[in-house]
Amino acid sequence: MTIHRALITTLAAVTMTSTAPDAAAQQPAGDARAAGTFEWHTWSGDAGSRRYRLFVPAGHDAARAAPLVVMLHGCTQDPDDFARGTRFNALAGEAGVLVAWPEQPAAMQVQKCWSWFDPAHQAASRGEPAVIAGITREVMAGHAIDPRRVYIVGVSAGAAMAVNVAASYPDLFAAIGSHSGIPYRAASDVPHALAVMRGGSPDPAILAYALQDALGGRAMPLIAIHGGADAVVSPMNSRQLAGQWAGVLGVSSSPVQRSTEGGLGVERTRWSGADGKPAIELVIVDGLGHAWSGGSPEGTYTDARGPDASRLILDFLLAHSR
């Protein structure tokens, strides 16, 4: 617990663009009111037991397989908070997508952080990746889900864990979305994790080897979004994450494109696959801190400015299938 407190003390010491939750925000409002159901479930298996929220859009046809997105919250958040801040359920409802929101409770980690930096949670068949994969499979077994269109997304510690899960179960997920995340296996303990968060990996060239071994030749598309002014997790991490993925997929980048979206400058880089679709997309948002771009003030660690990260991520994911 001391190890995790050290990590969170560093996180808490940095001023973040965020909306502090008030009493009203503690209830599953906002995004939870999207057309459909948003209910708690509990998964249990060899790796333990964990609650999760499941959003099922109104009119979901049990005879027609739908996509599934798994959403992993960041430190101090929970599924309700993350759903409010991203408004992801509303977009998913429009697109006919189911969304699973696993919970990392305070009982497991005092600040609700996923243990992305711990080697015990960086591989298949154990730890938190096994829990999240178990939740994913339970939803797939209980609902009409297209197994070729299952995706995973996360923010901050949740983004780092989403990378761990996707790399651990490449046959389960078709694509991944990372917001304010970190490369796969960039750290193996807390001191290393803190150093990586501050400035990225000191030896990014070796990162692709770990990912190559994990993916085993699977070409899994990735979209990574990061605030250019993020003082909690350096944007260098998403640059290295995209580079790690590009090294494994063997794709080359197109020229950087710059635009202004939501009042902030945006730097966008794409790496295209053989089919012409972006295999990797990196979006750096100037002036954005450690916050979900284009998010809602009903959730924590959001910034209403910048491009709508939820829409960017969902559009990217749905353009790919396994």
Side-chain angles (χ1 to χ4, degrees):
M1 195 63 71
T2 301
I3 287 176
H4 281 154
R5 282 201 182 100
L7 187 63
I8 295 306
T9 297
T10 299
L11 288 170
V14 182
T15 300
M16 295 182 251
T17 304
S18 167
T19 299
D22 55 22
Q26 299 302 314
Q27 300 304 316
D31 196 56
R33 290 194 297 264
T37 60
F38 191 47
E39 299 176 345
W40 282 107
H41 301 265
T42 300
W43 173 86
S44 296
D46 292 342
S49 179
R50 204 64 54 95
R51 295 200 311 165
Y52 64 96
R53 281 272 200 183
L54 180 63
F55 172 74
V56 179
H60 172 59
D61 185 354
R64 184 175 182 180
L68 169 67
V69 179
V70 179
M71 296 284 287
L72 303 181
H73 63 77
C75 295
T76 75
Q77 295 181 317
D78 58 31
D80 288 328
D81 181 14
F82 192 30
R84 286 191 301 265
T86 60
R87 294 180 289 229
F88 203 86
N89 284 348
L91 293 177
E94 294 171 2
V97 175
L98 277 73
V99 190
W101 304 79
E103 177 189 42
Q104 177 73 314
M108 298 298 297
Q109 200 290 314
V110 66
Q111 295 293 339
K112 307 178 185 178
C113 296
W114 300 98
S115 304
W116 59 272
F117 53 84
D118 187 339
H121 302 283
Q122 295 177 344
S125 303
R126 60 180 179 172
E128 291 164 8
V131 170
I132 295 163
I135 290 172
T136 304
R137 289 179 173 135
E138 180 171 278
V139 175
M140 295 173 69
H143 297 79
I145 301 297
D146 183 348
R148 299 178 65 248
R149 295 188 295 165
V150 177
Y151 313 98
I152 188 164
V153 177
V155 64
S156 192
M161 181 52 65
V163 168
N164 286 2
V165 176
S168 299
Y169 296 91
D171 293 331
L172 186 57
F173 299 97
I176 177 173
S178 168
H179 197 307
S180 313
I182 289 171
Y184 178 57
R185 291 195 175 182
S188 57
D189 55 38
V190 168
H192 197 186
L194 294 173
V196 167
M197 287 166 60
R198 286 191 294 266
S201 172
D203 192 4
I206 69 171
L207 293 176
Y209 291 107
L211 183 63
Q212 178 66 59
D213 289 343
L215 292 182
R218 277 272 296 112
M220 184 184 298
L222 162 80
I223 180 170
I225 301 174
H226 214 116
D230 192 335
V232 177
V233 178
S234 167
M236 179 58 66
N237 283 284
S238 282
R239 294 187 187 278
Q240 291 181 345
L241 173 61
Q244 179 185 46
W245 236 255
V248 172
L249 271 58
V251 292
S252 299
S253 65
S254 59
V256 174
Q257 297 178 336
R258 295 201 62 87
S259 62
T260 299
E261 300 176 41
L264 296 178
V266 177
E267 172 193 304
R268 184 177 278 104
T269 309
R270 293 185 175 94
W271 291 254
S272 295
D275 58 2
K277 295 180 181 178
I280 304 168
E281 185 166 349
L282 173 64
V283 181
I284 303 296
V285 185
D286 297 340
L288 179 70
H290 196 64
W292 189 271
S293 180
S296 166
E298 287 192 358
T300 61
Y301 309 126
T302 65
D303 193 325
R305 302 173 302 162
D308 184 342
S310 294
R311 189 172 294 279
L312 287 179
I313 289 171
L314 185 59
D315 287 349
F316 179 90
L317 298 179
L318 294 181
H320 298 279
S321 60
R322 193 162 54 80

